[in-house]
Amino acid sequence: MTTQHKLIKRLIGSTALAVALTGSAALAEELRFTVWTGSDAHLSMLNGIADGFKETHPDVTVKFETIPFGDYVQKITLQLAGGNPPDLGWLLESSAPTFVDAGVLADVAGTLKGTDGYDFEDLSASAMGLWQDGDAVFGVPFSTSPFIVYYNKSLYDAAGLEHPDTLAAKGEWTWERLKQDAAALKDGDSGVWGFQSVDGQGYGSRVLHTLIPIIRSYGGVAWTDDACGLNSDEAVAAISLYHDMIFKDQSAVPPGEQGDFFTGNAALTVTQLSRVSKLKDAEFEWGIAPLPAGPAATASVIGQAAIVAFAQGKQKDLAADFLAYMTNAENVAVMAAFFPPARQSVLEGDAFLSSNAAVTPEQMKIVADGIANGAVAPGHVAYPQIDSAMRPKFDALWKAEAEVKATLDEVCAAVESHL
Amino acid sequence: MTQTAPRTKLTLRAREAIAGWLFVSPITIGFLIFFVGPLIAVVGYSLTEWNLLTRQSTFVGMDNYVDALSQNPDFWHVLKNSLVFAAGLVPLNMALALTLAIALSRPFRGVVIFRTIFFAPVVTAAVAWAIVWSFLLQGESGAVNQMLAVVGIDGPNWLRHPDWAMFAVIVTRVFKTVGLNMILYIAALQSIPRDYEEAARLEGASGWQVFRLITWPLLAPTTLVIMVITVVGSLKVFDHIYLMTGGGPENGTLVLAFYIYEQAFEFFNVGYAAALAVILFVLIVALTITQVILKQRSQPQ
Amino acid sequence: MTRFHSPFVRACWYLSLAILAVPFVFPFLWMLSGAVKPQAEIFSSSLSLMPKTWRWENYAEVFSYQPFARQYFNSLYIATVVTAGTLFLSSLAGYALARIRFAGSGLLLLVLISALMMPEEVTIIPNFFLMKWFGLMNTHAPLILLPMFGSQGVMATFLMRQYFMALPPELEDAARMDGLSRFGIFWKVALPLSRPALAAVGIITFLFSWNLFLEPLVFLSDIELFTLPLALSNFTDAYGLPLWHLQMAATSLAVIPILIVYIAAQRQIVESFALSGVKG
């Protein structure tokens, strides 16, 4: 019997040891900050800001933790539910209503307004919309980034086509034109597609980011407070254009295929300024243009991300201090190289136009104009549910024989059950 | 149990009982803590509406069950997907495993190489297997369709077509897991004495007759174990589908395990997910009991 | 050696095996070639296995992108601990269920068998809160405890029981005459005889732990603590897009050592399955 006891004890002991060995103890003066970027350029910029914070808070280190974009919201939620919350983090606009509503974000209004030289009023009111509730402030956008067109200049020149930014200056840059160009530039033999959806995720998580710019320029909306607009005539016309690009022209990267703009396998794409960091080693010339115009308008769509402090965090005051430091005018100017700011003073200054060495001031002007005219991408308190209800219905759209209008009616039925 | 009966004293029986319980106690205690306890908790959760993010829960009685069984069309659809997946995977896997095992059970030049080839996917991380195959199965530029094009077949867009996607995840899952079953069958085949077969051959039995009348019955215990392992594996499949199709397209590959995960950890509906889990548990217990009853009935023969 | 009736039969034999082997081999070759290709080339040519540009840096970048060596070690040590623990627990319990007559053993067996079929998804929610309560979030403990005591541990117990059932009881009688206790019989007689079964169950358990995906996904948030399956799906750029070339390089690093072990030990593996109770 004693041998048995000994063995069992040893087993329990070894399990406990394994637990002790692997448990990670957080340092008292460490702030955990979750981000979804793994880019060296972004992280060294962020670490630079954290180093600056050390001048006033020598004992504080900020640890930036990268969580892949696809798992981000889910992982943050698990950390919150699991009692292991980060102190601060990035949050995407689509999650804002859900997180604000759930009460998991700390109100940092007091800290921001009480910090000397912060100049809260400088933050543009429209950019702050999602992150404010009365006097409470639940986050400060660090990126108010319009969707813009990236084009492969080498391919355009080889085909003898006029550049999109030149066309835009003449007022001739339309979605129809983009469709024509994409069809002309597609070259199946060398594995080059005409157009890639936002981050190549246009048939998955980025379906709205891909379609909304077209829909809005055709005069449509995704949804209002009580109705879905995705099956309106405007939206159907807009989505039909994209559907034709995929299945009639076969110029857009179709679902189930890979064709990446940033590796030179697609001639055009729509995405945001921060993706410039992916063009560092590009073996082709590239350019930036505004979003094309549609029959109704030149719509600009803004994707937004904010820095938030979590209400459950163990060092809420310190976290709020760092949030204030990170979003002061000086640091916002630093981050502006990748993330167009919500601070008017920075946005309007000349320094912004030359903040990123890889982007010319003229190109940066396109970004600044996009912010000035843009509206934030659609969001909702029930966004996760809407997204999940909507996506299987959208799947049915990505077939050559799909009836666009009928399919969108189904999408809308799914969306409306959650509005 | 073939154990010799306790011969003399009652104390021996008592000592045996104590020993027995001591032997099973470590796993039983762990099992109670990490399986039975949680299962009871799941039943409790299933009676609430509980949001993982807001951490608020309210008692809602049977609402979640009503919702799953009669309101939400997804549940039956997902259950059907799970059954289709299992019904497709299990026979395909076992038939291929047996075929390969028969081919590779006797030594010939290169047999080790072939065994290694068919076993290799088993030791490959499921993640990697799913990633590589999702590339090979791309609509036009994927290697599979390019190979099919060589012989004049215009392959479908495998992972984006609701029906083909299910077929594709089943077949690639079979490739991933068949090696283990193959090895189990090879092991069983090698332990069948050669005399049986030779004797039958001498009496003029054909190869097929030898297999049907001698080999197959002798493999029955192995087949049972393989079937249990494979059915269990097919009901639990998660990462393979999570990475290859994410449950799509049009929820065509959304299976129960994945659906429960999604409800709990992506939409934060802990209560609803728990109700799904309880329903699944009841189904599985019913299935197990049916199996036991059927087995007992067939035993007298 | 199998003798072939004619060269033609032999050719057909090898040809059909080779065709069957394609879906098993091609993904590996594709992975190995993708591991030394630049990202753009992976996109453009899915059928050509020979890289136009050889990019060996992929392998170096795997280690600079994530603490890959650390994650490799995590997977190895977790799988080892789980395997050792499971073997001990399951052989102990399996032996008792097969060999010792005690009240409640039949019921216990039935309960355990019904647990075999349960997916981890069912109990992971309460286990999530249980681990939180134990303070074990973001540690490896759930990855060790849950397989050992969950359905994998039950499966191992069931397989060990099947083996012990088939063991001739006479072997034990002699030991009992010598006055060995139950544990002594188990430890000195039954366990040494069950080496093949232990090997078979050990391999199945090791592979189960090695491939574990859901538990790391739910319980781990610190990249240093990740295990291989999670790490492999984590080679993504700033916007969540996969870095295929790094994934392929990392995957080949994760697979090849295990394959070498398998080739070296394949005869013993087959034999141990052949001798183990797993065959029935």
Side-chain angles (χ1 to χ4, degrees), chain B residues 98 102 189 192-193 196-201 203-220:
Chain B
L98 185 58
I102 290 170
L189 286 168
I192 295 176
Y196 291 15
E197 193 188 311
E198 276 159 20
R201 287 271 192 187
E203 287 180 22
S206 71
W208 170 246
Q209 281 172 323
V210 170
F211 174 77
R212 199 169 59 91
L213 298 171
I214 295 173
T215 319
W216 177 245
L218 286 172
L219 286 178

Side-chain angles (χ1 to χ4, degrees), chain A residues 19-26 84, chain C residues 137-139 222 225:
Chain A
V19 169
L21 279 174
T22 51
S24 66
N84 179 32
Chain C
M137 289 308 293
N138 202 23
T139 72
D222 201 337
L225 296 177

